[in-house]
Every structure is written in C-alpha cells, then in structure tokens.
C-alpha cells in the first residue's frame, strides 16, 4: 500500500490560509475602492433584474388561508412622540399627508381623502432583511394615484417618504424610484388584514413596496416628496438604514 | 515529457510523467469559484446569525414553528467577523453574481472544450460492485487507476457531477428565490421549492453539504499530494504519482 504521508504542516497552512482570508475580508472592506465595488452590488442586481425580467411583474399574491396566523411587528412599534400621541388620541382626525417636491399641485391629504380614493387589496409576503417572512393582507390607494393627483413632474426620479417615528431624533425616511412608485402593488396601506392599520404596523399610513425588503415599507408616513436625486436627502444614500448602517438602497434582493 | 492532453495520453503513463491535466478555463473557474464560495459561505453564516431559525413553507417568523434553531456562528467563521448584517449581505450579493455568472461561463466553456466528457459515466461508474471497490481503494488511499492515472475515478465523477449539476445550481436557484424582486419576476422559483422559507431552508442545507464537500475535497487533495494537485490546478501540469 502506498500511503502518501499527509503533511501536518500543509494542513495547518490550509487552515491558517482560511483564517487569513476571513480576516482579510475585514481589511478589504475598509479600503474605499473595494468598498465602492462591493457596494455597487445592489445597483448591479437592480440593473440585471430590470434588464432581464419584466419590470412590471407583480409580486405573488396569496389566498386568505395562506396568511400568517400572527404577523410580526418590527422596527418602531409606537413612535411615542407627543405629536403622534395626539393623532392617536383624536383617531387620526388631525393627520395630514403632505405631498410635495417636484409636483405641480402640492397636496395636504386627510385620512378620509386617502380612504375615498380607489383602493387596491392584496395578500402578499413581507420579507424582512433578517430572513423571516410573514403573509398579510393590505389595502389602500395606489401610490401612483396620489402622485398623479399631485401632478408629478417629469423631472422627478425618486419619491422620498418622511415618517412620524424618530430614529436618533430624526424622522425615519426611505425612498423608491418612480418605476416602483407607479407599480400597481405599491400602495399606501390604510388597512391590514381587513382592519384599520394598528399603531404597531404603522398607523395610519404605511407604504407597501411588494418587490422589496421590509425596511423599504415605511410606516407612519406623513410626507411624500418627489425629487430628481437622492443627494440632498439625509446623507445621500436614500434612507435611514442606507445612510447609517450600509443597507442596500435597492432591496429587491 | 509533456503529453498534450489526458485523452491522448491514455495508456500507461509511467509514474513521474507530467501530464497536462486541467484546461485554462477549468483552472480559472476553479480559483474564482473557490474564492466566491469561501466568501459566500462566510457571509451566509453572518446572515444566518440575523435570524437563526429555519421554516418550511411560504412564511415563517418568530411565532411560527421552526424546524431548525441554528447555533450562533462564531466570529472566526463569519464575514465580517463582528456581526453586521448589512456588510454580510454586501459581500454575499456581490459574490453571488461572481459565482452565478462564473458557473454559467464555466458550463458553456466545458461543453465547448469537452471538459465534461471526463465526467461521462461508464457502466462501471454505476455498478455497485465497482463503486464498492472504489470506496475500498479510497479507504486505502489509492486514488488513481494505474492504466489511466489522469482519469477521474468513479467516486470523484459522482461527487463532481452532484456538486456541479445539482448542488451549485440549487444554491443559485434558492438564492434567487430569496430575492423578493426575483419572486415577482420568476414566480416558478417559489413553486420549485415550495415557498420562500422552504427555499431558505434548502439554501442553508445545500450550503452545509457544500461546506462538507469542501472539507473532504481539501483533505483528499492533501492525501493525494497537495503540491502536485495544487500545481495541476495552477499551471495545469500534473505528475503521475508513484
Ligand atoms: C455556494 C454558494 C452559496 C453559499 C455557500 C451560500 C450560503 C448562504 C447561507 C449559509 C445563508 C444564510 C441562510 C440563512 O438565512 O440562514 C445565505 C443567505 C442568502 N443567500 Fe446565499 N449562498 C450561496 C449562493 C447564493 C447565491 C448565488 C445567491 C443569489 C443568487 C444567494 C442569495 C442569498 C440571499 C438573498 C440570502 C439571504 C437569505 C435571508 O434573508 O435569510 N446565495 N446564503
């Protein structure tokens, strides 16, 4: 029997090499050039998805018997500010949704105005960036209807949402582009599972962008601003998590 | 003596002969893939730490039944080493592209340069008696057929076939099924695996199997002579062992 002697030295070398590579990744990501390349990943996925697949494709919708028994609330469960508490106290009678930026007719919409618009109902899957999913029913006017009512200008490329909940003392904010903004399943949900939206799920208005991860679905929406570029928003990455913890702006991945 | 190609140097290459074993495309892909796989596994384990519960079906969150509660993967196994979901995902999704397009390019090249011919199964490769003998040979550290030392042995063929045509494509398809954008574009991805959370479970299971394959693969490379095997995958030149 010929037994090539396994060399302990080489084995150590391999294990050591693996450790070095892992540690190397931590170093690499600190290099600005490497960071730029790695951080271009979401743009590449977005480009590929949009170029190779139908950009109007609908997210899968489900039957009522396929819904999660309990829909987990995540992120802010209650903004807890005096202003928000006052709105809860008056049943959101004083709530106003401000629609502005690159629009011809800035709007200030009451909850009743939104409820009077034609609404869409959909049972969809909510995917958190952490990995879990929950299926629930959402109902409300399409964002596109609101944007058309405000007369969105051609120069607008993104829609920024400002919220009533605070992170580090600043209102939560998120953004999507006009392709997703006019997608038929992108709605301003006023109802969830057949009832008025609860505080834990973003009452009174929560964005649904069904082809992206949960952190894009801004809760407690109070402002919608159409812009040509995300440069002037927050630190320029388009959202609270994007600006502060490096989450991908395009969350369809 | 340098024999031009393994197929030509079929019979009786005496020990010590240098054969051209691996084509340039195979070598290039091998190393690109090795790096991508290593990064995907490390960053994937970092992602897993964000919600270490696995479910079957379409949905699954904290209140639902989890079939597996995974351990927290330690810093020395994850990319980055300190928990950071955003950075794990940046690594993972960038190298998912490298991995998926790399595999596609390698597949096309391997059909064109007939590399896959070496994986063609013969009658012996499916005969239980022969496979049992091959297991015994491996157990005794005999990896090469003396008559045709450069040929892949049966176990080697089977493991490469399962990895190349089953496990790696499953990683890509389940990975795509995890993307909400792709689920809208290609809903058949969900039908294929029975829902996003099932796809996530299969993604994890297949990643574990590939991790196991990588360990066995490295051990066998060491046993077969790390220097010779490594050189063959870098320069293409492989020396027929004693
Ligand atoms: C050999 C290749 C790969 C390995 C070893 C690997 C490994 C892993 C692991 C261990 C996880 C964590 C699973 C969990 O959540 O518990 C993960 C998550 C993930 N992988 Fe991969 N992966 C690979 C390829 C890919 C590819 C090609 C794609 C995309 C096309 C992809 C997309 C994803 C996504 C989106 C997640 C996040 C899942 C979640 O939200 O929980 N992966 N991967």
């Amino acid at each position: 029997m010929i037994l090539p002697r396994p060399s302990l030295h080489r084995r150590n070398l391999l294990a050591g090499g693996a450790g070095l590579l892992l540690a190397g990744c931590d170093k690499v990501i600190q290099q600005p050039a490497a960071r730029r390349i790695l951080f271009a990943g979401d743009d590449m996925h977005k480009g590929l998805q949009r170029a190779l697949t139908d950009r109007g494709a609908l997210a899968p919708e489900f039957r009522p018997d396929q819904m999660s028994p309990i829909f987990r609330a995540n992120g802010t469960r209650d903004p807890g500010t005096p202003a928000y508490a006052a709105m809860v106290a008056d049943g959101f009678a004083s709530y106003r949704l401000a629609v502005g930026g690159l629009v011809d007719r800035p709007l200030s919409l009451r909850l009743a105005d939104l409820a009077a618009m034609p609404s869409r109902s959909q049972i969809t899957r909510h995917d958190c960036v952490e990995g879990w999913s929950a299926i629930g029913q959402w109902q409300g006017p399409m964002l596109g209807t609101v944007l058309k009512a405000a007369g969105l200008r051609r120069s607008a490329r993104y829609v920024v949402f400002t919220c009533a909940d605070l992170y580090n003392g600043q209102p939560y904010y998120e953004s999507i582009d006009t392709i997703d903004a006019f997608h038929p399943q992108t709605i301003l949900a006023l109802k969830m599972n057949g009832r008025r939206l609860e505080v834990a799920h973003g009452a009174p208005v929560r964005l649904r962008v069904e082809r992206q991860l949960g952190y894009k679905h801004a809760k407690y929406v109070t402002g919608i601003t159409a812009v040509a570029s995300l440069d002037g928003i927050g630190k320029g990455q388009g959202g609270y998590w994007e600006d502060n913890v490096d989450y991908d702006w395009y969350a369809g991945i | 003596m340098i024999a031009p190609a393994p197929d030509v140097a079929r019979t009786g290459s005496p020990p010590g002969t240098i054969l051209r074993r691996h084509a340039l495309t195979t070598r290039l892909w091998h190393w690109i893939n090795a790096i991508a796989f290593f990064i995907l596994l490390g960053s994937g384990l970092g992602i897993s730490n964000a919600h270490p519960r696995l479910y079957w079906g379409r949905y699954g969150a904290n209140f639902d039944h989890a079939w597996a509660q995974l351990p927290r993967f330690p810093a020395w196994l994850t990319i980055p080493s300190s928990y950071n979901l955003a950075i794990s995902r940046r690594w993972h999704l960038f190298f998912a592209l490298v991995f998926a397009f790399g595999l596609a390019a390698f597949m096309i090249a391997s059909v064109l340069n007939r590399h896959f011919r070496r994986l063609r199964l013969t009658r012996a490769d499916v005969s239980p008696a022969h496979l049992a003998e091959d297991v015994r040979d491996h157990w005794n550290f005999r990896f090469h057929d003396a008559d045709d030392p450069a040929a892949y042995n049966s176990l080697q063929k089977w493991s490469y076939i399962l990895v190349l045509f089953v496990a790696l494509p499953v990683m890509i398809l389940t990975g795509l099924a995890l993307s909400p954008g792709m689920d809208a574009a290609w809903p058949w991805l969900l039908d294929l695996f029975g829902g996003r959370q099932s796809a996530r479970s299969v993604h994890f299971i297949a990643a574990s199997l590939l991790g196991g394959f990588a360990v066995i693969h490295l051990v066998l490379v060491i046993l077969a002579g790390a220097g010779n095997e490594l050189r063959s995958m870098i320069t293409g030149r492989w020396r027929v062992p004693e």
Side-chain angles (χ1 to χ4, degrees):
Chain A
M1 184 176 72
I2 313 148
L3 219 175
R5 196 159 33 86
S7 135
L8 213 63
H9 171 68
R10 281 179 191 145
R11 204 174 310 165
N12 285 346
L13 210 72
L14 274 174
L20 223 74
L21 253 155
L22 275 169
C25 288
D26 286 1
K27 285 267 187 314
V28 165
I29 191 84
Q30 282 158 19
Q31 307 302 316
R35 215 176 154 84
R36 259 198 305 282
I37 295 172
L38 216 56
F39 278 40
D42 70 323
D43 234 25
M44 293 160 69
H45 279 275
K46 184 185 74 176
L48 284 165
Q49 285 189 9
R50 295 235 168 115
L52 302 179
T53 72
D54 172 12
R55 46 173 79 179
L58 295 181
E61 296 193 13
F62 301 88
R63 295 190 310 265
D65 62 290
Q66 295 172 322
M67 284 166 47
S68 297
I70 301 177
F71 197 109
R72 176 183 163 177
N74 202 40
T76 306
R77 281 146 216 240
D78 184 349
T81 62
Y84 185 77
M87 284 199 295
V88 173
D90 69 12
F92 296 104
S94 58
Y95 169 84
R96 293 293 181 276
L97 175 67
V99 185
L102 297 172
V103 296
D104 291 332
R105 297 175 291 281
L107 303 174
S108 173
L109 299 169
R110 291 171 303 152
L111 207 50
D113 300 328
L114 289 168
M117 291 179 177
S119 80
R120 190 180 200 283
S121 172
Q122 57 206 32
I123 301 178
T124 51
R125 198 190 62 226
H126 180 87
D127 300 321
C128 178
V129 63
E130 291 174 354
W132 53 269
S133 308
I135 297 179
Q137 188 201 29
W138 306 92
Q139 190 185 331
M142 295 197 298
L143 176 62
T145 309
V146 175
L147 294 175
K148 277 180 207 146
L152 189 75
R153 295 200 188 133
R154 295 190 74 86
S155 51
R157 286 199 52 213
Y158 301 94
V159 179
V160 181
F161 303 86
T162 316
C163 306
D165 54 331
L166 306 181
Y167 276 78
N168 293 334
Q170 297 292 315
Y172 188 78
Y173 54 104
E174 252 307 339
S175 59
I176 58 178
D177 62 15
T178 46
I179 291 177
D180 270 316
F182 283 99
H183 184 264
Q185 286 172 323
T186 301
I187 63 174
L188 295 172
L190 313 176
K191 283 183 161 183
M192 174 188 174
N193 296 351
R195 277 171 299 155
R196 273 178 75 159
L197 211 53
E198 290 166 19
V199 168
H201 289 291
V205 175
R206 180 204 194 140
L207 175 70
R208 298 293 313 166
V209 205
E210 301 295 355
R211 298 183 298 176
Q212 299 206 37
L213 295 173
Y215 62 91
K216 301 298 282 190
H217 302 225
K219 293 154 88 170
Y220 318 107
V221 177
T222 55
I224 296 179
T225 315
V227 296
S229 141
L230 297 172
D231 288 345
I233 312 297
K235 297 175 194 165
Q237 301 305 312
Y240 172 80
W241 295 108
E242 290 89 329
D243 274 341
N244 295 291
V245 291
D246 298 325
Y247 275 173
D248 302 284
W249 177 79
Y250 180 67
I253 49 177
Chain B
M1 167 188 138
I2 296 172
D7 288 328
V8 181
R10 181 121 257 159
T11 42
S13 306
T17 315
I18 303 279
L19 300 180
R20 261 196 58 220
R21 182 132 203 242
H22 298 295
L24 179 64
T25 47
T26 308
R27 285 176 273 144
L28 256 178
W29 174 75
H30 178 272
W31 292 113
I32 291 172
N33 190 58
I35 292 168
F37 173 73
F38 183 84
I39 291 175
L40 284 164
L41 196 58
S43 57
L45 295 179
I47 295 172
S48 170
N49 280 347
H51 187 80
R53 291 160 57 84
L54 296 175
Y55 313 87
W56 293 119
R58 301 178 183 87
Y59 62 79
N62 305 55
F63 300 108
D64 304 310
H65 171 73
W67 68 268
Q69 174 74 53
L70 302 171
R72 191 179 174 80
F73 296 104
W76 58 271
L77 272 180
T78 64
I79 298 173
S81 53
S82 55
Y83 174 74
N84 186 326
L85 177 59
I87 301 296
S88 290
R89 284 181 53 91
R90 295 277 188 180
W91 280 109
H92 203 80
L93 287 155
F94 185 90
F95 278 91
L97 293 176
V98 174
F99 168 79
F101 285 102
L103 184 66
F106 171 65
M107 291 272 190
I108 293 167
S110 297
V111 169
L112 294 181
N113 73 12
R114 304 184 176 197
H115 174 59
F116 284 157
R117 274 216 325 216
R118 300 173 63 183
L119 294 176
R120 190 181 290 162
L121 294 172
T122 61
R123 187 164 300 154
D125 293 324
V126 293
S127 124
H130 175 83
L131 284 171
E133 188 192 320
D134 210 19
V135 171
R136 272 195 304 278
D137 281 345
H138 274 79
W139 198 250
N140 291 322
F141 301 109
R142 269 196 310 268
F143 303 126
H144 304 289
D145 179 350
D147 289 338
D148 191 2
Y152 287 153
N153 61 56
S154 300
L155 288 185
Q156 203 172 5
K157 277 190 196 169
W158 273 112
S159 43
Y160 287 169
I161 286 170
L162 287 176
V163 164
L164 273 175
F165 300 108
V166 182
L168 296 185
V170 160
M171 286 319 296
I172 296 174
L173 292 173
T174 51
L176 287 171
L178 293 174
S179 298
M182 289 311 298
D183 286 345
W186 295 351
W188 53 265
L189 285 169
L190 294 167
D191 300 334
L192 197 57
F193 298 103
R196 181 179 190 255
Q197 288 299 322
S198 289
R200 184 167 167 255
S201 291
V202 174
H203 196 71
F204 187 87
I205 293 168
S208 312
L209 293 176
L210 281 170
F213 166 80
V215 169
I216 294 171
H217 179 70
L218 288 177
V219 168
L220 287 176
V221 163
I222 292 168
L223 290 177
N228 192 23
E229 296 292 320
L230 276 177
R231 185 189 50 228
S232 81
M233 209 26 107
I234 295 169
T235 66
R237 285 157 193 241
W238 182 72
R239 182 191 301 275
V240 178
E242 311 283 307

